[in-house]
Amino acid sequence: MATPRPDVLLLKDAARRIRCHVIRTALQAGGGHLGGSLSAAEILSVLYFHKLRIRPEEPDWPERDRFILSKGHAAMALYAALAERGFFPVGELATFGVLGSRLQAHPDMSRTPGVDMSTGSLGQGLSAGAGMALAARIGRKDYQTYVLLGDGEIQEGQVWEAALLAGELRLANLTAILDFNRFSQTRATAAVHPPERLALRWEGFGWAVREVDGHDVAALAGALDAPADGRPLLVVAHTIKGRGVSFMEGRPEWHSHPLTSEQAARALAELGVAP
């Protein structure tokens, strides 16, 4: 079946709504990982509103595509996407971090509809994704597995072990997306992973690599839609940490930070909505 053309306006608006939910959730919770949640909004929009073959009314549908948020600290953005896609009511986002809530600070596959892998310990998502992709091949299933990595996270050795295995096995049903916002929690990532060498490193492990503006929904959709020549695919999404809120953009201190009511109101106004 042919891949439908991306609805650019819908995807842009979905990303904006995800950002609004992230701001409101962080204000309600008294803090949270804002920078990396805001940088990933378009990536999640394209996945949940264009790419993933899923049934929100049947979260465990066996034929669904799998998605792993390996950078699990960006759970606020994932929950926003799941709520907007209909996995649970949008109002449930207000329970983020509350004792007994299904929406904890890191995704929990045993609690939250639509979560395929519990994450939080960085570096493990690609290994799990490679396992899911291999299981699909062995079971003769045609679902695709997607993994969202952070650029700070790829300093973990386990990521490269999984990349080596996936390339060696030519897991064409595995796609990794790298949210390359250029900051980890404590420092810039370019010194460890120079952007100009990223593609060469992954290609050396047997992956197809595409680089796009990670806030351009049409470019993201195009990179994900094009065939990958029988190899696993890495999409390097060049993003801005804190994207969408002027006083957070490119500011590493907003990696995880509490918001005042005034700051939240200013952020929401910049996103075009009332607090």
Side-chain angles (χ1 to χ4, degrees):
M1 185 169 64
T3 303
R5 292 172 60 86
D7 186 333
V8 171
L9 291 179
L10 181 149
L11 296 175
K12 287 182 176 178
D13 190 55
R16 185 185 63 84
R17 294 198 306 273
I18 288 170
R19 289 195 170 95
C20 292
H21 290 315
V22 166
I23 296 299
R24 290 180 174 128
T25 301
L27 177 64
Q28 172 273 327
H33 288 85
L34 284 157
S37 292
L38 295 173
S39 69
E42 279 81 9
I43 299 169
L44 291 167
S45 166
V46 170
L47 285 170
Y48 278 92
F49 290 89
H50 172 69
K51 195 63 192 170
L52 291 178
R53 185 181 64 177
I54 48 179
R55 292 178 178 174
E57 72 283 4
E58 189 182 356
D60 296 326
W61 177 43
E63 305 303 320
R64 73 191 184 283
D65 288 337
R66 272 59 167 175
F67 173 68
I68 298 170
L69 179 70
S70 193
K71 45 176 274 180
H73 52 283
M76 290 193 301
L78 173 61
Y79 296 150
L82 289 171
E84 283 288 336
R85 194 65 175 81
F87 281 88
F88 50 80
V90 168
E92 193 169 338
L93 294 173
T95 71
F96 175 80
V98 174
L99 185 64
S101 169
R102 297 192 292 185
L103 310 182
Q104 292 303 312
H106 294 93
D108 184 340
M109 62 188 294
S110 70
R111 291 188 177 202
T112 311
V115 172
D116 288 316
M117 174 70 186
S118 299
T119 53
S121 296
L122 293 176
Q124 298 178 352
L126 192 60
S127 295
M132 291 178 185
L134 183 58
R137 175 189 288 179
I138 293 171
R140 299 182 183 278
K141 302 290 186 181
D142 68 350
Y143 64 78
Q144 190 79 12
T145 298
Y146 297 85
V147 180
L148 178 54
L149 298 160
D151 54 343
E153 179 185 16
I154 63 171
Q155 298 175 51
E156 299 284 349
Q158 188 174 340
V159 173
W160 296 96
E161 293 175 1
L164 175 63
L165 176 69
E168 180 70 21
L169 296 178
R170 294 183 69 85
L171 294 177
N173 56 351
L174 176 64
T175 297
I177 306 165
L178 178 60
D179 182 2
F180 196 73
N181 64 31
R182 296 175 180 260
F183 289 102
S184 64
Q185 182 172 7
T186 56
R187 61 176 178 168
T189 59
V192 181
H193 292 289
E196 66 275 13
R197 298 181 192 169
L198 266 178
L200 290 174
R201 287 176 175 175
W202 286 79
E203 287 168 350
F205 280 77
W207 288 61
V209 179
R210 296 177 185 133
E211 298 193 55
V212 298
D213 177 345
H215 301 303
D216 182 334
V217 293
L220 278 167
L224 292 169
D225 288 343
D229 189 27
R231 292 176 288 170
L233 170 65
L234 172 72
V235 175
V236 180
H238 293 276
T239 61
I240 297 172
K241 199 154 190 167
R243 172 75 171 195
V245 179
S246 61
F247 58 91
M248 297 183 191
E249 288 190 354
R251 302 284 296 273
E253 63 268 34
W254 285 99
H255 177 89
S256 178
H257 201 285
L259 269 174
T260 66
S261 297
E262 292 74 18
Q263 289 169 330
R266 180 181 169 192
L268 291 170
E270 291 185 8
L271 293 168
V273 299

